[in-house]
Amino acid sequence: MPKCTVNGIEVEVKDGATVIEAFMKTNESIAHYCWHPGLSVAGVCRMCMVEIEGNPRLQIACNTPVQDGMVVYNNSEKVKEAVEWTLKFHLINHPLDCPICDQAGECGLQEYYMSHGSYDSEMAERKVKKHKVVDLGEKVVLDTERCILCSRCVRFTDEVTKTNELGIFNRGDRSEIGTFENRPLNNKYSLNTVDICPVGALTSKDFRFRQRVWFLKSFETICQGCSAGCNVQAYYNENGFYRVKPVPNEEVNGHWMCDEGRDVYKFANKEHRLVSGIKKEDSGLSHMAPGAAAVQLREDLSDTKKAALVLTGQYTTEEYLKFVDSFTKNYGNEVYHWINNPKTFDDFDGILLRGDKNPNTVGLLRVLEGKGIKSSWADLEEKLNSGQIEHLVVAGPENLAVFPDLEEKVTLFGQAQKLTVLTPVKSKFYESADYQIPMKSFMEKDGTFVNHKGIEQKLGRGPIVVSQALTLLDLSMILDGSDFISVNSASMGGSL
Amino acid sequence: MEAKLLSEHYSDDSYIGLEGYKSKGGYAELKTAFKMKPEEIIEVVKQSGLRGRGGAGFPTGVKWGFLPKNGEPRYLLCNADEGEPGTFKDRVMMERAPHQLIEGMIISGFAVGSHKAYIYVRGEYMDSVRILEKAIQEAYAAGYLGKNILGSGFDFDLDVYRGAGAYICGEETGMISSLEGKKGQPKLKPPFPAIQGYLKKPTIVNNVETLAAVKYIIRDGAEGYRKYGTEKSAGTKLFSVSGDVNKPGVYEVPLGYSLMDLINNECGGMREGRKLKAVIPGGSSAPVLTAEETGRATMDYECLAEMGSMLGSGAVIIIDETRCMVDMLKVILHFYHHESCGQCTPCREGTGWLEKIVRSIVDGNGRLQDIDLLNRVAENMKGRTICALSDAAALPTMSFIQKFREEFEFFIREGRSQVKG
Ligand SMILES: Cc1cc2nc3c(=O)[nH]c(=O)nc-3n(C[C@H](O)[C@H](O)[C@H](O)COP(=O)(O)O)c2cc1C
Ligand code: SF4
Ligand code: SF4
Ligand code: SF4
Ligand code: FES
């Protein structure tokens, strides 16, 4: 393992590591646009200049392998001036339309301008005009004037998705990113290009113009979209959630996440949510507080001889543990696992996306196994069809889009004499249920998801969207006899 | 005096065909080479002091020595892209003596252990391609190319690849990208081509003239070759002389030859009795020499380096007193701006910026601070990029300003050329 000195700090790196990786290890800052830890080295932005003792020429840190004993620094006047000039080169043809640019506030040009630049442009001549608002595909828009040609997006589609939609066309200062003919940027990971674009050249159609980034707060959590369990940062303000972006985790998702996962925030927002408990009465639907609906459910269940529980892989391990416990203790061992898409359940696209569209199937299976529960779906179907189930309780999904069998399954469930649906989101298919009880979304709770590999990951807890929605933990307490919910929104770190 | 080593038979039309070539000693050195060990050839080439004729002047034998010493497949690429403004000697070589290049390449391929080679020819050189292709067919038919050449057990295949007209494909790694079917743009180094080049295999790239010269090193031995030239610049060199002389053309002279002699003897002196003003001695990217410097210059790597310029590809551009240096710089910068591949920010943005500033001056909109700005922009483009194209734009800019500053100042002040009025 070679050692080197970075701005006077000694650091040991892996064999073959580059100088920029040594900088990353020390937390010494080093400007860079084209280098990205998840992509090959391009060495084109020329921002990462360093001085290496014994070498009169400045070198780029991203393509210089560390040699044992190397003494490197980037805080000398020589390096600072070089970086300032490289930034100047980046900016001479840049439109500087920050006031109308979505990247403003998290832009690499703005950031380095503040730390390395702060001068007026010396170019008196006209800037090169290029294309603006280029539609690259279903999700991404390009502004070629803002592009600094770092080639990250091109390398992403070449190396990660291997779909090769993007290229740099023309040459010199007429170079522009674009897509090849009849090959729009529509791969399943296209929005990662927006994340890695250091400037406002690539923007997400979903997020574009909806919110200034400095008005957003964020927290880290786990994507709910599939069993991969990608680590994400979720962004929100008082009006709701706005986007999620991947957080690097070598073991789980590398640096990326899929485009489907980008949508998971939507189901946590108010417009999709079930906000009150609903009980079907002869006179119609009666709305009540979620806790009150749960208490009525308990009473209803107390004189039921044959109750059953259906679980989806959409809840936390902690919830399963406690809820399965209370349910079986109170109503017997009838617990079933609803697999939403059995035909594609084991699919894997070779990158991240898993066919199992549940974040915690493994957690659920572990809990059922731990409790010695073995049940087959066919059994449940038979019992429902032959009218043997008196009251069926279903802990339903959060993202209805990945439950193509929802309508069919709810119809099947309807054969029970009574049906209770526990759900974070509303759906017209649930309207026939006897009870609908609002649940918290994954954005609003603590707990653990176990991904397909068996890696346990903790959720981060964000703000509350539906203030009185329950978790399965709350519901267990109620089923166990408690009449009030000790955990409410006030203790959950603020609400929206 | 001209020293016709490579170009001895260039005026003889029959030398183009195989029979004519053989009648003048063609393919004799190939037989000699096959009697040697590949390492011996590399050693002789090292001893000969041959330096790359494509621009950088890197010692050829040393470059060959960088190849990994194992049986890994490797490629030999001949750089015939010849894009540097002012350079046209490779074309003459290919069109007047295609077999000379082919023979040089077989010997070089044998030396470096390559069984597959390409000649990457500048896209506009249709005649060169046609002539080379014909010669290659002749060589295959005669058993100089293909399997078990002349019973030596050595196999060697050679193909011509036509470029599409981008100057940047003359940069060796740009050429490799282009040959690989990618956009012609230089690759980041390390890794260097000798370690990982064409198709990620070890690769040697040499200029047409370099490879052809190998034949004569085998013929005359290292010592024999060193009879021409100087200690650090051995052998002869073909110079492409253009501009304001009476007889522009390709001339082969020993390295170390006086630049004034080249102008006056070989090229018949200045045109119409005009006065010499400046010379660009090594292609448009080489820093310009004043008339006074030209008087002292000898055409070798060390003298021109000492004068702050370079021998480059040996393209000598003669400039007389009627030429406006501001205008000339504009033309040069237009070229590099147009040809920058655009990967590296300083080159992509800097080449355009330099051209724009000089254009402003020529259009009468120059500002006095522009001279200093040109210098600073150029200074910050130099040595900061993947390939040397950025330097190729920066160096002439800095030298033009340094040596002809008053012409720039006049143009800015008066809004017109000092020379042309
Ligand atoms: C922008 C650029 C253009 C070049 N064009 C040519 C060319 O047209 N022909 C050539 O032989 N070398 C050219 N070179 C030099 C090559 O990169 C390389 O050094 C050369 O082919 C090596 O051969 P040599 O060692 O025999 O000179 C160019 C270099 C640069 C930076
Ligand atoms: S990319 Fe950055 S610098 Fe450019 S307009 Fe957008 S926010 Fe401003
Ligand atoms: S669009 Fe963004 S990521 Fe792609 S090359 Fe331009 S600046 Fe880089
Ligand atoms: S220096 Fe210029 S021509 Fe060379 S690789 Fe960089 S951008 Fe391309
Ligand atoms: S980060 Fe090193 S050159 Fe771009």
Side-chain angles (χ1 to χ4, degrees), chain A residues 91 94-98 101-105 107-110 146 199-201:
Chain A
L91 286 169
H94 193 80
L96 287 183
D97 40 23
C98 310
C101 177
D102 247 350
Q103 194 82 359
C107 170
L109 286 174
Q110 290 184 325
R146 291 180 196 155
V199 295

Side-chain angles (χ1 to χ4, degrees), chain A residues 42 44-46 49 57 63 85 89-90 93 122-126 148-149 168 170-174, chain B residues 166 183 188-190 337-341 343-345 348-349 353 356 360 367 373 376 380 384-385:
Chain A
V44 294
C45 75
R46 316 306 285 189
M49 295 282 178
R57 264 177 71 153
N63 197 45
W85 263 93
F89 285 127
H90 273 107
N93 282 308
E122 290 190 77
M123 191 171 81
E125 290 77 16
R126 255 169 217 247
I148 56 167
L149 294 159
I168 298 180
N170 218 322
R171 67 179 184 211
D173 60 8
R174 287 88 61 217
Chain B
K183 186 174 176 182
L188 203 54
K189 286 141 266 193
H337 176 205
H338 187 257
E339 297 296 333
S340 163
C341 85
Q343 305 183 74
C344 316
T345 306
R348 176 184 67 240
E349 304 296 336
W353 195 0
K356 280 180 189 171
S360 289
R367 309 168 298 171
L373 184 59
R376 286 187 297 130
N380 284 289
R384 301 266 172 88
T385 51

Side-chain angles (χ1 to χ4, degrees), chain B residues 55-109:
Chain B
F58 194 83
T60 305
V62 176
K63 187 193 273 190
W64 291 3
F66 290 152
L67 284 168
K69 302 198 172 32
N70 57 25
E72 204 180 335
R74 57 205 53 199
Y75 293 96
L76 175 68
L77 307 180
C78 171
N79 192 342
D81 195 51
E82 194 159 64
E84 177 83 352
T87 318
F88 43 86
K89 46 124 190 145
D90 293 344
R91 176 180 182 179
V92 170
M93 296 188 70
M94 292 185 286
E95 294 178 10
R96 301 307 300 174
H99 284 286
Q100 184 184 60
L101 172 60
I102 295 170
E103 187 178 1
M105 286 189 74
I106 305 168
I107 299 172
S108 303

